[in-house]
Amino acid sequence: MPKPPLHILILAAGASSRMGGGDKLLEPVDGQALLRQVAQRALASGFPVNVALAPDRPGRGAALAGLALTRVTVSDPGEGMAASLRAGLCSLPEDASVMLMLADLPEITTEDLTQMAQAHAATPEMILRATDAAGQPGHPVVFPAWVRGDLMALGGDDGARAVLRAHSNRLRLIALPDQHATTDLDTPEAWAQWRLGRE
């Protein structure tokens, strides 16, 4: 029997509400918008990539111009992360496993995604969650197809935390280097501090 396919789903429909009017996903990183960089790293893994986008953020769509990925419009992004997750899942084959990524993780690399995919190939029925080098849980998270029903039933802005709790006995943690899995930048101050650390 062939293994179910693995797809990468990038959640990029959030409101960026803590950025003081700016858009964290359009912040420049190495000369391009963060969202484009994250998407390019995902595509370089060789897996199909879908990106969940809000209809009122045209700049994000423009940042993805020319990339061979699938754009998914989230009709009700104001509901929170669960709406993006449901829209994204509906765009995938029903038998697909999904590697769920947040779009505001500037340190995630293609090698990190490959490591997660290899762990999934070795243990395809386990939920896999990335941690940083110190063991702090973060992203991405790989959900096998059997979790799909639970994910589709989510609401609000808690993401998949409830699902992870409910299936903790089938959860495996995967350590990624440094703080790749946990560095998310939600405020101008956080961006300034992160850039200072790269100098």
Side-chain angles (χ1 to χ4, degrees):
M1 290 288 291
K3 292 182 179 178
L6 176 65
H7 289 247
I8 296 176
L9 173 59
I10 301 174
L11 301 184
S16 242
S17 57
R18 298 171 61 194
M19 283 293 292
D23 189 339
K24 62 183 176 182
L25 301 189
L26 301 182
E27 284 286 321
V29 178
D30 299 329
Q32 60 187 348
L34 170 62
L35 177 57
R36 186 175 183 87
Q37 184 185 74
V38 169
Q40 286 178 325
R41 290 175 177 177
L43 287 166
S45 71
F47 295 97
V49 176
N50 289 27
V51 183
L53 295 163
D56 61 345
R57 297 273 181 168
R60 295 180 183 179
L64 299 173
L67 299 183
L69 45 75
T70 299
R71 303 180 191 204
V72 181
T73 299
V74 182
S75 60
D76 50 352
E79 179 193 331
M81 193 180 296
S84 298
L85 185 51
R86 293 195 307 269
L89 287 171
C90 286
S91 71
L92 303 179
E94 288 194 3
D95 66 339
S97 299
V98 58
M99 185 186 302
L100 185 64
M101 283 185 68
L102 302 183
D104 59 351
L105 299 174
E107 295 187 359
I108 286 290
T109 67
T110 299
E111 290 74 21
D112 295 333
L113 303 180
T114 300
Q115 181 179 341
M116 296 295 293
Q118 289 172 341
H120 171 65
T123 54
E125 294 303 308
M126 296 291 285
I127 300 171
L128 307 177
R129 185 171 191 182
T131 75
D132 63 19
Q136 177 69 29
H139 286 85
V141 183
V142 178
F143 291 102
W146 64 262
V147 193
R148 183 184 180 103
D150 289 359
L151 295 173
M152 290 296 294
L154 291 171
D157 201 35
D158 282 340
R161 293 174 190 167
V163 175
L164 294 172
R165 287 194 297 268
H167 299 294
S168 59
N169 61 323
R170 300 183 74 176
L171 173 65
R172 179 184 171 199
L173 301 178
I174 306 294
L176 300 182
D178 302 320
Q179 294 181 307
H180 290 193
T182 53
T183 297
D184 59 344
L185 305 174
D186 293 328
T187 67
E189 294 78 15
W191 274 98
Q193 185 174 8
W194 181 73
R195 288 189 170 112
L196 189 62
R198 300 183 82 205
E199 292 179 354

